Amino acid sequence: MIAIVEKKVIHVSILRRSVAVIGLLSVIGGLGVIPGAYELAYAAEKQYGNSYYFSYDTGNALPGMTVKLKPHFMSDDPKVPFLANTKFELSGNVQRNNQPAPSLRTAVKVDKSTGNVAFTVPKDAHDGDTFLFTIQGTYLDGSTTQAQVRIVARRIPISYPVARVQAGKSVTVIPGASGPNGQQMPIPPNLRYEITPSLLYPALNFVKVDAGSGILTISPNAQVTPKEYKGVVTVSYEGGFSQIPFSFTVTPAPAPEKPAPGPVKTVADRVDPGVGS
């Protein structure tokens, strides 16, 4: 159904749903319609907000790092396509552990066209700190839909198993990561590892760490004193670092084997055969 209004706006109702779209429509005269360019708009019934919505996955990030999330778009009406002109924005304040944190609004970046979100976790965040904020999408018909974003801060859950190595031998120790319930977790990428000597944990020249993987190689020679040794690996990432302790025990090298005794010589063996001949 087409109707002409005084402000030269033509209202078109399509599929019983409508959205305001600005454009120009050239109209040729006829049936009392004055020729000319008319602004085109769908009648704004504001129904898209009732049939179209979006959501975000829960994000996890290390303190100081930025987590990026993309919205998932869904609709309860298959006739309603995604509207490329939907505008997205942060609505309200950020909450930290269910408490308002207005200063963290600047930590949220929203792409107004795509709804993509980036959030930088505060460097002082503790493991398990939860950050909540709301993204609002405004459709062209003026209706809105909101989606909550949940970000959880995670400290690096890396640890080294206790190792044993015999003096004169070598062993590698692979780091692992576990969740709060003890389940195995992947180690975050793009970390840097280095052994950090201190007065409490002096440098051990027979212990090396791979800077990219964190794998320890322990190679004590036979002269290393058998005992327990400890050290610390510093794990660095964008925006911060964590220190991971490790320990291992050097066991004694086996005692050298004594040479096997030779054959026992008898008196007859020691007598010069040339004597008395």
Side-chain angles (χ1 to χ4, degrees), residues 95-164:
Q95 288 193 339
R96 179 174 184 171
N97 296 329
N98 297 319
Q99 297 297 320
S103 61
L104 292 180
R105 281 183 60 90
T106 57
V108 180
K109 305 298 180 185
V110 184
D111 188 305
K112 294 183 178 180
S113 299
T114 64
N116 292 350
V117 170
F119 178 75
T120 302
V121 178
K123 293 182 180 180
D124 64 349
H126 296 91
D127 188 59
D129 279 2
T130 301
F131 303 87
L132 300 174
F133 52 90
T134 300
I135 302 299
Q136 178 172 288
T138 302
Y139 304 111
L140 289 174
D141 67 351
S143 62
T144 60
T145 300
Q146 293 184 336
Q148 189 176 72
V149 181
R150 182 173 183 265
I151 308 294
V152 180
R154 291 298 185 198
R155 288 286 177 181
I156 301 177
I158 298 176
S159 62
Y160 286 97
V162 177
R164 294 177 65 86

Short mmCIF file of all heavy atoms in Angstrom, two decimals, residues 95-164:
data_model
loop_
_atom_site.label_atom_id
_atom_site.label_comp_id
_atom_site.label_asym_id
_atom_site.label_seq_id
_atom_site.Cartn_x
_atom_site.Cartn_y
_atom_site.Cartn_z
N GLN A 95 29.85 -3.54 35.14
CA GLN A 95 29.82 -4.05 36.50
C GLN A 95 31.01 -4.98 36.72
O GLN A 95 31.34 -5.79 35.84
CB GLN A 95 28.53 -4.81 36.78
CG GLN A 95 27.31 -3.93 36.92
CD GLN A 95 26.13 -4.68 37.49
OE1 GLN A 95 26.06 -5.89 37.44
NE2 GLN A 95 25.18 -3.95 38.06
N ARG A 96 31.63 -4.82 37.88
CA ARG A 96 32.73 -5.71 38.27
C ARG A 96 32.30 -6.46 39.51
O ARG A 96 32.07 -5.85 40.55
CB ARG A 96 34.00 -4.91 38.52
CG ARG A 96 35.20 -5.75 38.96
CD ARG A 96 36.45 -4.89 39.04
NE ARG A 96 37.62 -5.69 39.36
CZ ARG A 96 38.87 -5.23 39.32
NH1 ARG A 96 39.10 -3.97 38.96
NH2 ARG A 96 39.88 -6.01 39.62
N ASN A 97 32.17 -7.76 39.37
CA ASN A 97 31.69 -8.59 40.48
C ASN A 97 30.38 -8.03 41.05
O ASN A 97 30.21 -7.89 42.26
CB ASN A 97 32.76 -8.70 41.57
CG ASN A 97 34.01 -9.40 41.08
OD1 ASN A 97 33.94 -10.28 40.22
ND2 ASN A 97 35.15 -9.02 41.60
N ASN A 98 29.47 -7.69 40.13
CA ASN A 98 28.11 -7.20 40.45
C ASN A 98 28.10 -5.83 41.13
O ASN A 98 27.09 -5.44 41.71
CB ASN A 98 27.37 -8.21 41.33
CG ASN A 98 27.14 -9.54 40.62
OD1 ASN A 98 26.81 -9.56 39.43
ND2 ASN A 98 27.34 -10.64 41.33
N GLN A 99 29.22 -5.11 41.05
CA GLN A 99 29.29 -3.75 41.59
C GLN A 99 29.56 -2.78 40.44
O GLN A 99 30.39 -3.07 39.57
CB GLN A 99 30.39 -3.63 42.64
CG GLN A 99 30.18 -4.50 43.87
CD GLN A 99 28.92 -4.12 44.64
OE1 GLN A 99 28.60 -2.94 44.79
NE2 GLN A 99 28.20 -5.13 45.13
N PRO A 100 28.86 -1.63 40.39
CA PRO A 100 29.09 -0.66 39.31
C PRO A 100 30.56 -0.24 39.24
O PRO A 100 31.19 0.03 40.27
CB PRO A 100 28.19 0.51 39.69
CG PRO A 100 27.14 -0.08 40.58
CD PRO A 100 27.82 -1.17 41.34
N ALA A 101 31.08 -0.18 38.03
CA ALA A 101 32.47 0.25 37.81
C ALA A 101 32.48 1.22 36.63
O ALA A 101 32.91 0.86 35.53
CB ALA A 101 33.38 -0.95 37.57
N PRO A 102 32.00 2.45 36.84
CA PRO A 102 31.91 3.42 35.73
C PRO A 102 33.23 3.68 35.02
O PRO A 102 33.25 3.94 33.81
CB PRO A 102 31.39 4.68 36.42
CG PRO A 102 30.76 4.22 37.69
CD PRO A 102 31.53 3.01 38.11
N SER A 103 34.35 3.59 35.75
CA SER A 103 35.65 3.90 35.14
C SER A 103 36.03 2.88 34.06
O SER A 103 36.90 3.14 33.23
CB SER A 103 36.74 3.94 36.21
OG SER A 103 36.86 2.67 36.85
N LEU A 104 35.37 1.72 34.07
CA LEU A 104 35.70 0.68 33.09
C LEU A 104 34.96 0.84 31.77
O LEU A 104 35.14 0.04 30.86
CB LEU A 104 35.43 -0.71 33.68
CG LEU A 104 36.34 -1.15 34.82
CD1 LEU A 104 35.95 -2.54 35.32
CD2 LEU A 104 37.79 -1.14 34.37
N ARG A 105 34.12 1.87 31.66
CA ARG A 105 33.45 2.11 30.38
C ARG A 105 34.48 2.31 29.26
O ARG A 105 34.28 1.90 28.12
CB ARG A 105 32.54 3.33 30.45
CG ARG A 105 31.19 3.06 31.12
CD ARG A 105 30.33 4.32 31.08
NE ARG A 105 30.07 4.75 29.71
CZ ARG A 105 29.03 4.35 28.98
NH1 ARG A 105 28.14 3.51 29.50
NH2 ARG A 105 28.86 4.81 27.76
N THR A 106 35.61 2.94 29.61
CA THR A 106 36.64 3.20 28.59
C THR A 106 37.36 1.93 28.17
O THR A 106 38.06 1.92 27.17
CB THR A 106 37.67 4.21 29.11
OG1 THR A 106 38.24 3.72 30.34
CG2 THR A 106 37.01 5.56 29.38
N ALA A 107 37.20 0.84 28.96
CA ALA A 107 37.83 -0.43 28.60
C ALA A 107 37.02 -1.18 27.56
O ALA A 107 37.49 -2.20 27.03
CB ALA A 107 38.00 -1.30 29.85
N VAL A 108 35.81 -0.69 27.26
CA VAL A 108 34.92 -1.35 26.28
C VAL A 108 34.98 -0.60 24.96
O VAL A 108 34.82 0.62 24.91
CB VAL A 108 33.47 -1.37 26.79
CG1 VAL A 108 32.57 -2.07 25.77
CG2 VAL A 108 33.39 -2.06 28.14
N LYS A 109 35.24 -1.33 23.90
CA LYS A 109 35.20 -0.77 22.55
C LYS A 109 34.14 -1.54 21.75
O LYS A 109 34.17 -2.77 21.72
CB LYS A 109 36.55 -0.88 21.86
CG LYS A 109 37.71 -0.25 22.65
CD LYS A 109 37.53 1.24 22.85
CE LYS A 109 38.70 1.84 23.64
NZ LYS A 109 38.48 3.28 23.95
N VAL A 110 33.23 -0.81 21.12
CA VAL A 110 32.15 -1.41 20.36
C VAL A 110 32.21 -0.92 18.92
O VAL A 110 32.25 0.29 18.69
CB VAL A 110 30.78 -1.08 20.96
CG1 VAL A 110 29.67 -1.82 20.21
CG2 VAL A 110 30.73 -1.42 22.44
N ASP A 111 32.22 -1.85 17.98
CA ASP A 111 32.09 -1.48 16.58
C ASP A 111 30.62 -1.18 16.32
O ASP A 111 29.78 -2.08 16.39
CB ASP A 111 32.58 -2.62 15.67
CG ASP A 111 32.66 -2.20 14.22
OD1 ASP A 111 31.63 -1.72 13.69
OD2 ASP A 111 33.72 -2.36 13.59
N LYS A 112 30.30 0.06 16.02
CA LYS A 112 28.91 0.47 15.89
C LYS A 112 28.19 -0.22 14.72
O LYS A 112 26.95 -0.30 14.73
CB LYS A 112 28.83 1.99 15.72
CG LYS A 112 29.29 2.76 16.96
CD LYS A 112 29.12 4.25 16.77
CE LYS A 112 29.54 5.00 18.03
NZ LYS A 112 29.38 6.47 17.86
N SER A 113 28.94 -0.68 13.74
CA SER A 113 28.32 -1.28 12.57
C SER A 113 28.15 -2.79 12.68
O SER A 113 27.16 -3.35 12.20
CB SER A 113 29.14 -0.95 11.32
OG SER A 113 29.20 0.45 11.11
N THR A 114 29.13 -3.48 13.30
CA THR A 114 29.11 -4.94 13.35
C THR A 114 28.69 -5.50 14.70
O THR A 114 28.30 -6.66 14.80
CB THR A 114 30.49 -5.51 13.01
OG1 THR A 114 31.42 -5.10 14.03
CG2 THR A 114 30.97 -5.01 11.65
N GLY A 115 28.80 -4.69 15.77
CA GLY A 115 28.51 -5.19 17.10
C GLY A 115 29.69 -5.91 17.73
O GLY A 115 29.57 -6.42 18.85
N ASN A 116 30.84 -5.98 17.03
CA ASN A 116 32.02 -6.62 17.61
C ASN A 116 32.47 -5.83 18.85
O ASN A 116 32.46 -4.60 18.85
CB ASN A 116 33.16 -6.68 16.60
CG ASN A 116 32.86 -7.61 15.46
OD1 ASN A 116 31.89 -8.36 15.49
ND2 ASN A 116 33.68 -7.58 14.43
N VAL A 117 32.87 -6.57 19.88
CA VAL A 117 33.21 -5.96 21.17
C VAL A 117 34.64 -6.32 21.54
O VAL A 117 35.09 -7.46 21.33
CB VAL A 117 32.24 -6.45 22.27
CG1 VAL A 117 32.72 -6.02 23.64
CG2 VAL A 117 30.83 -5.91 22.03
N ALA A 118 35.36 -5.35 22.09
CA ALA A 118 36.68 -5.59 22.66
C ALA A 118 36.69 -5.04 24.08
O ALA A 118 36.23 -3.92 24.32
CB ALA A 118 37.76 -4.92 21.81
N PHE A 119 37.19 -5.86 25.01
CA PHE A 119 37.25 -5.44 26.42
C PHE A 119 38.63 -5.76 26.97
O PHE A 119 39.12 -6.88 26.85
CB PHE A 119 36.18 -6.16 27.25
CG PHE A 119 36.22 -5.79 28.71
CD1 PHE A 119 35.73 -4.57 29.14
CD2 PHE A 119 36.74 -6.68 29.64
CE1 PHE A 119 35.76 -4.23 30.50
CE2 PHE A 119 36.77 -6.35 30.99
CZ PHE A 119 36.29 -5.11 31.42
N THR A 120 39.26 -4.75 27.58
CA THR A 120 40.58 -4.93 28.18
C THR A 120 40.41 -5.19 29.67
O THR A 120 39.91 -4.33 30.41
CB THR A 120 41.46 -3.70 27.95
OG1 THR A 120 41.59 -3.46 26.55
CG2 THR A 120 42.84 -3.91 28.56
N VAL A 121 40.82 -6.36 30.11
CA VAL A 121 40.69 -6.74 31.53
C VAL A 121 41.69 -5.92 32.35
O VAL A 121 42.86 -5.80 31.98
CB VAL A 121 40.96 -8.25 31.70
CG1 VAL A 121 40.89 -8.63 33.18
CG2 VAL A 121 39.97 -9.06 30.89
N PRO A 122 41.27 -5.33 33.45
CA PRO A 122 42.19 -4.55 34.29
C PRO A 122 43.38 -5.39 34.75
O PRO A 122 43.25 -6.59 35.03
CB PRO A 122 41.32 -4.12 35.48
CG PRO A 122 39.92 -4.18 34.97
CD PRO A 122 39.89 -5.30 33.98
N LYS A 123 44.53 -4.75 34.84
CA LYS A 123 45.74 -5.47 35.25
C LYS A 123 45.66 -5.98 36.68
O LYS A 123 46.34 -6.95 37.03
CB LYS A 123 46.96 -4.57 35.07
CG LYS A 123 47.28 -4.22 33.63
CD LYS A 123 48.53 -3.35 33.53
CE LYS A 123 48.85 -3.01 32.10
NZ LYS A 123 50.07 -2.16 31.98
N ASP A 124 44.85 -5.32 37.50
CA ASP A 124 44.76 -5.73 38.91
C ASP A 124 43.66 -6.77 39.14
O ASP A 124 43.34 -7.07 40.29
CB ASP A 124 44.53 -4.52 39.80
CG ASP A 124 43.18 -3.84 39.53
OD1 ASP A 124 42.54 -4.17 38.51
OD2 ASP A 124 42.78 -2.97 40.33
N ALA A 125 43.09 -7.30 38.08
CA ALA A 125 42.00 -8.27 38.23
C ALA A 125 42.51 -9.55 38.87
O ALA A 125 43.62 -10.01 38.59
CB ALA A 125 41.37 -8.57 36.88
N HIS A 126 41.68 -10.13 39.72
CA HIS A 126 41.99 -11.41 40.34
C HIS A 126 41.35 -12.54 39.54
O HIS A 126 40.39 -12.32 38.79
CB HIS A 126 41.49 -11.45 41.79
CG HIS A 126 42.15 -10.46 42.67
ND1 HIS A 126 41.65 -9.18 42.87
CD2 HIS A 126 43.28 -10.53 43.43
CE1 HIS A 126 42.45 -8.52 43.70
NE2 HIS A 126 43.45 -9.32 44.05
N ASP A 127 41.88 -13.72 39.73
CA ASP A 127 41.32 -14.87 39.02
C ASP A 127 39.84 -15.05 39.39
O ASP A 127 39.49 -15.10 40.57
CB ASP A 127 42.10 -16.14 39.39
CG ASP A 127 41.68 -17.33 38.54
OD1 ASP A 127 41.80 -17.25 37.32
OD2 ASP A 127 41.21 -18.33 39.11
N GLY A 128 38.99 -15.10 38.38
CA GLY A 128 37.57 -15.28 38.61
C GLY A 128 36.77 -13.99 38.65
O GLY A 128 35.53 -14.04 38.67
N ASP A 129 37.43 -12.83 38.66
CA ASP A 129 36.69 -11.57 38.62
C ASP A 129 35.81 -11.55 37.37
O ASP A 129 36.27 -11.90 36.27
CB ASP A 129 37.64 -10.38 38.59
CG ASP A 129 38.16 -10.01 39.97
OD1 ASP A 129 37.80 -10.72 40.93
OD2 ASP A 129 38.95 -9.06 40.10
N THR A 130 34.56 -11.13 37.52
CA THR A 130 33.60 -11.14 36.42
C THR A 130 33.17 -9.73 36.07
O THR A 130 32.85 -8.92 36.96
CB THR A 130 32.36 -11.97 36.80
OG1 THR A 130 32.77 -13.31 37.11
CG2 THR A 130 31.38 -12.04 35.64
N PHE A 131 33.17 -9.44 34.77
CA PHE A 131 32.79 -8.12 34.27
C PHE A 131 31.57 -8.26 33.37
O PHE A 131 31.57 -9.10 32.46
CB PHE A 131 33.96 -7.48 33.51
CG PHE A 131 35.22 -7.37 34.34
CD1 PHE A 131 36.12 -8.43 34.40
CD2 PHE A 131 35.48 -6.23 35.08
CE1 PHE A 131 37.27 -8.34 35.17
CE2 PHE A 131 36.63 -6.14 35.86
CZ PHE A 131 37.52 -7.19 35.91
N LEU A 132 30.56 -7.46 33.64
CA LEU A 132 29.32 -7.51 32.87
C LEU A 132 29.01 -6.14 32.28
O LEU A 132 29.18 -5.12 32.96
CB LEU A 132 28.15 -7.96 33.75
CG LEU A 132 28.24 -9.33 34.43
CD1 LEU A 132 27.06 -9.52 35.37
CD2 LEU A 132 28.28 -10.43 33.39
N PHE A 133 28.56 -6.12 31.04
CA PHE A 133 28.07 -4.88 30.45
C PHE A 133 27.08 -5.23 29.35
O PHE A 133 27.01 -6.38 28.89
CB PHE A 133 29.21 -4.00 29.92
CG PHE A 133 30.16 -4.68 28.99
CD1 PHE A 133 29.94 -4.69 27.61
CD2 PHE A 133 31.30 -5.31 29.47
CE1 PHE A 133 30.83 -5.30 26.75
CE2 PHE A 133 32.20 -5.93 28.62
CZ PHE A 133 31.96 -5.93 27.26
N THR A 134 26.31 -4.24 28.94
CA THR A 134 25.22 -4.47 28.00
C THR A 134 25.45 -3.72 26.69
O THR A 134 25.84 -2.54 26.69
CB THR A 134 23.89 -3.98 28.61
OG1 THR A 134 23.64 -4.72 29.81
CG2 THR A 134 22.73 -4.20 27.64
N ILE A 135 25.24 -4.43 25.59
CA ILE A 135 25.32 -3.84 24.26
C ILE A 135 23.90 -3.71 23.71
O ILE A 135 23.13 -4.67 23.75
CB ILE A 135 26.17 -4.69 23.31
CG1 ILE A 135 27.59 -4.86 23.87
CG2 ILE A 135 26.21 -4.06 21.91
CD1 ILE A 135 28.34 -3.56 24.05
N GLN A 136 23.58 -2.54 23.23
CA GLN A 136 22.25 -2.30 22.67
C GLN A 136 22.33 -2.17 21.16
O GLN A 136 23.18 -1.45 20.63
CB GLN A 136 21.63 -1.03 23.26
CG GLN A 136 20.26 -0.69 22.69
CD GLN A 136 19.59 0.44 23.44
OE1 GLN A 136 19.16 0.26 24.57
NE2 GLN A 136 19.51 1.61 22.82
N GLY A 137 21.44 -2.87 20.48
CA GLY A 137 21.32 -2.75 19.03
C GLY A 137 20.06 -1.99 18.69
O GLY A 137 18.98 -2.33 19.18
N THR A 138 20.18 -0.95 17.89
CA THR A 138 19.02 -0.16 17.47
C THR A 138 18.77 -0.40 15.99
O THR A 138 19.64 -0.14 15.15
CB THR A 138 19.26 1.34 17.72
OG1 THR A 138 19.53 1.55 19.11
CG2 THR A 138 18.04 2.15 17.31
N TYR A 139 17.60 -0.92 15.67
CA TYR A 139 17.25 -1.23 14.28
C TYR A 139 16.70 0.01 13.58
O TYR A 139 16.40 1.02 14.22
CB TYR A 139 16.23 -2.37 14.25
CG TYR A 139 16.72 -3.60 14.96
CD1 TYR A 139 16.13 -4.02 16.16
CD2 TYR A 139 17.79 -4.33 14.47
CE1 TYR A 139 16.59 -5.14 16.83
CE2 TYR A 139 18.26 -5.46 15.13
CZ TYR A 139 17.65 -5.86 16.31
OH TYR A 139 18.12 -6.96 16.97
N LEU A 140 16.57 -0.09 12.29
CA LEU A 140 16.16 1.06 11.50
C LEU A 140 14.72 1.48 11.76
O LEU A 140 14.32 2.59 11.43
CB LEU A 140 16.35 0.77 10.01
CG LEU A 140 17.83 0.73 9.57
CD1 LEU A 140 17.93 0.30 8.13
CD2 LEU A 140 18.47 2.10 9.75
N ASP A 141 13.95 0.59 12.36
CA ASP A 141 12.58 1.00 12.69
C ASP A 141 12.50 1.67 14.06
O ASP A 141 11.44 2.00 14.55
CB ASP A 141 11.63 -0.20 12.64
CG ASP A 141 11.93 -1.24 13.72
OD1 ASP A 141 12.97 -1.09 14.40
OD2 ASP A 141 11.14 -2.17 13.89
N GLY A 142 13.68 1.85 14.70
CA GLY A 142 13.74 2.50 15.99
C GLY A 142 13.63 1.56 17.17
O GLY A 142 13.85 1.96 18.31
N SER A 143 13.29 0.29 16.93
CA SER A 143 13.21 -0.67 18.02
C SER A 143 14.61 -1.10 18.45
O SER A 143 15.58 -0.93 17.71
CB SER A 143 12.38 -1.89 17.62
OG SER A 143 12.99 -2.55 16.51
N THR A 144 14.72 -1.63 19.66
CA THR A 144 16.03 -1.98 20.21
C THR A 144 16.01 -3.39 20.79
O THR A 144 14.98 -3.92 21.17
CB THR A 144 16.44 -1.00 21.31
OG1 THR A 144 15.47 -1.04 22.36
CG2 THR A 144 16.55 0.41 20.77
N THR A 145 17.19 -3.96 20.84
CA THR A 145 17.42 -5.24 21.52
C THR A 145 18.72 -5.12 22.29
O THR A 145 19.66 -4.48 21.81
CB THR A 145 17.51 -6.40 20.52
OG1 THR A 145 16.31 -6.50 19.78
CG2 THR A 145 17.75 -7.72 21.23
N GLN A 146 18.80 -5.71 23.46
CA GLN A 146 20.01 -5.65 24.27
C GLN A 146 20.57 -7.05 24.51
O GLN A 146 19.82 -8.02 24.59
CB GLN A 146 19.72 -4.97 25.60
CG GLN A 146 19.38 -3.49 25.47
CD GLN A 146 19.21 -2.82 26.82
OE1 GLN A 146 18.92 -3.46 27.82
NE2 GLN A 146 19.39 -1.50 26.86
N ALA A 147 21.87 -7.11 24.61
CA ALA A 147 22.55 -8.37 24.91
C ALA A 147 23.62 -8.11 25.96
O ALA A 147 24.32 -7.08 25.92
CB ALA A 147 23.18 -8.96 23.65
N GLN A 148 23.76 -9.02 26.91
CA GLN A 148 24.75 -8.86 27.97
C GLN A 148 26.04 -9.56 27.58
O GLN A 148 26.04 -10.66 27.03
CB GLN A 148 24.23 -9.43 29.28
CG GLN A 148 25.12 -9.09 30.48
CD GLN A 148 24.53 -9.58 31.79
OE1 GLN A 148 24.51 -10.78 32.06
NE2 GLN A 148 24.04 -8.65 32.61
N VAL A 149 27.15 -8.91 27.88
CA VAL A 149 28.47 -9.48 27.64
C VAL A 149 29.10 -9.82 28.99
O VAL A 149 29.07 -9.00 29.92
CB VAL A 149 29.38 -8.49 26.88
CG1 VAL A 149 30.75 -9.11 26.63
CG2 VAL A 149 28.73 -8.09 25.56
N ARG A 150 29.64 -11.01 29.09
CA ARG A 150 30.25 -11.48 30.35
C ARG A 150 31.70 -11.84 30.09
O ARG A 150 32.00 -12.67 29.22
CB ARG A 150 29.49 -12.69 30.89
CG ARG A 150 30.01 -13.23 32.22
CD ARG A 150 29.07 -14.33 32.72
NE ARG A 150 29.46 -14.85 34.01
CZ ARG A 150 30.21 -15.94 34.18
NH1 ARG A 150 30.62 -16.63 33.12
NH2 ARG A 150 30.52 -16.36 35.38
N ILE A 151 32.61 -11.20 30.81
CA ILE A 151 34.05 -11.45 30.69
C ILE A 151 34.57 -11.92 32.05
O ILE A 151 34.28 -11.29 33.08
CB ILE A 151 34.82 -10.18 30.27
CG1 ILE A 151 34.21 -9.56 29.01
CG2 ILE A 151 36.29 -10.52 30.06
CD1 ILE A 151 34.32 -10.40 27.78
N VAL A 152 35.33 -12.99 32.06
CA VAL A 152 35.89 -13.53 33.30
C VAL A 152 37.42 -13.44 33.23
O VAL A 152 38.02 -13.88 32.24
CB VAL A 152 35.46 -14.99 33.53
CG1 VAL A 152 36.07 -15.51 34.85
CG2 VAL A 152 33.94 -15.11 33.56
N ALA A 153 38.01 -12.84 34.25
CA ALA A 153 39.47 -12.74 34.32
C ALA A 153 40.05 -14.07 34.77
O ALA A 153 39.53 -14.70 35.70
CB ALA A 153 39.89 -11.63 35.27
N ARG A 154 41.11 -14.49 34.10
CA ARG A 154 41.77 -15.75 34.46
C ARG A 154 43.26 -15.53 34.60
O ARG A 154 43.91 -15.02 33.69
CB ARG A 154 41.51 -16.82 33.39
CG ARG A 154 40.07 -17.31 33.34
CD ARG A 154 39.67 -17.96 34.63
NE ARG A 154 38.33 -18.54 34.58
CZ ARG A 154 37.63 -18.86 35.66
NH1 ARG A 154 38.13 -18.66 36.86
NH2 ARG A 154 36.42 -19.37 35.54
N ARG A 155 43.78 -15.86 35.76
CA ARG A 155 45.23 -15.90 35.92
C ARG A 155 45.76 -17.14 35.20
O ARG A 155 45.01 -18.09 34.97
CB ARG A 155 45.61 -15.94 37.40
CG ARG A 155 45.38 -14.62 38.12
CD ARG A 155 46.41 -13.60 37.74
NE ARG A 155 46.17 -12.32 38.38
CZ ARG A 155 46.94 -11.25 38.19
NH1 ARG A 155 47.97 -11.33 37.37
NH2 ARG A 155 46.67 -10.11 38.78
N ILE A 156 47.03 -17.12 34.87
CA ILE A 156 47.58 -18.24 34.13
C ILE A 156 47.65 -19.46 35.04
O ILE A 156 48.38 -19.47 36.03
CB ILE A 156 48.99 -17.91 33.60
CG1 ILE A 156 48.93 -16.69 32.70
CG2 ILE A 156 49.55 -19.09 32.81
CD1 ILE A 156 50.26 -16.25 32.18
N PRO A 157 46.89 -20.51 34.75
CA PRO A 157 46.85 -21.68 35.63
C PRO A 157 47.95 -22.69 35.30
O PRO A 157 47.71 -23.89 35.26
CB PRO A 157 45.46 -22.26 35.35
CG PRO A 157 45.24 -21.96 33.90
CD PRO A 157 45.92 -20.64 33.64
N ILE A 158 49.16 -22.21 35.05
CA ILE A 158 50.25 -23.09 34.62
C ILE A 158 50.99 -23.62 35.84
O ILE A 158 51.19 -22.92 36.83
CB ILE A 158 51.22 -22.34 33.69
CG1 ILE A 158 50.48 -21.90 32.42
CG2 ILE A 158 52.42 -23.21 33.33
CD1 ILE A 158 51.33 -21.07 31.49
N SER A 159 51.41 -24.87 35.75
CA SER A 159 52.22 -25.46 36.82
C SER A 159 53.16 -26.50 36.22
O SER A 159 52.95 -26.97 35.10
CB SER A 159 51.33 -26.11 37.89
OG SER A 159 50.57 -27.16 37.32
N TYR A 160 54.19 -26.81 36.97
CA TYR A 160 55.15 -27.84 36.56
C TYR A 160 55.04 -29.04 37.49
O TYR A 160 55.00 -28.87 38.71
CB TYR A 160 56.58 -27.30 36.62
CG TYR A 160 56.93 -26.33 35.52
CD1 TYR A 160 56.85 -24.96 35.73
CD2 TYR A 160 57.33 -26.78 34.27
CE1 TYR A 160 57.18 -24.06 34.73
CE2 TYR A 160 57.67 -25.89 33.26
CZ TYR A 160 57.59 -24.53 33.50
OH TYR A 160 57.92 -23.65 32.50
N PRO A 161 55.00 -30.25 36.93
CA PRO A 161 55.02 -31.42 37.81
C PRO A 161 56.39 -31.58 38.45
O PRO A 161 57.41 -31.15 37.90
CB PRO A 161 54.73 -32.57 36.83
CG PRO A 161 55.19 -32.09 35.50
CD PRO A 161 54.93 -30.60 35.50
N VAL A 162 56.41 -32.15 39.65
CA VAL A 162 57.68 -32.40 40.33
C VAL A 162 58.45 -33.48 39.57
O VAL A 162 57.88 -34.49 39.15
CB VAL A 162 57.44 -32.83 41.78
CG1 VAL A 162 58.76 -33.16 42.48
CG2 VAL A 162 56.70 -31.73 42.54
N ALA A 163 59.73 -33.25 39.37
CA ALA A 163 60.55 -34.17 38.56
C ALA A 163 61.67 -34.79 39.39
O ALA A 163 62.06 -34.27 40.44
CB ALA A 163 61.12 -33.44 37.36
N ARG A 164 62.19 -35.90 38.89
CA ARG A 164 63.37 -36.55 39.45
C ARG A 164 64.31 -36.85 38.30
O ARG A 164 63.88 -37.26 37.22
CB ARG A 164 63.00 -37.87 40.16
CG ARG A 164 62.15 -37.68 41.40
CD ARG A 164 61.76 -39.02 42.00
NE ARG A 164 62.93 -39.76 42.50
CZ ARG A 164 63.44 -39.62 43.70
NH1 ARG A 164 62.88 -38.76 44.55
NH2 ARG A 164 64.47 -40.32 44.10
#
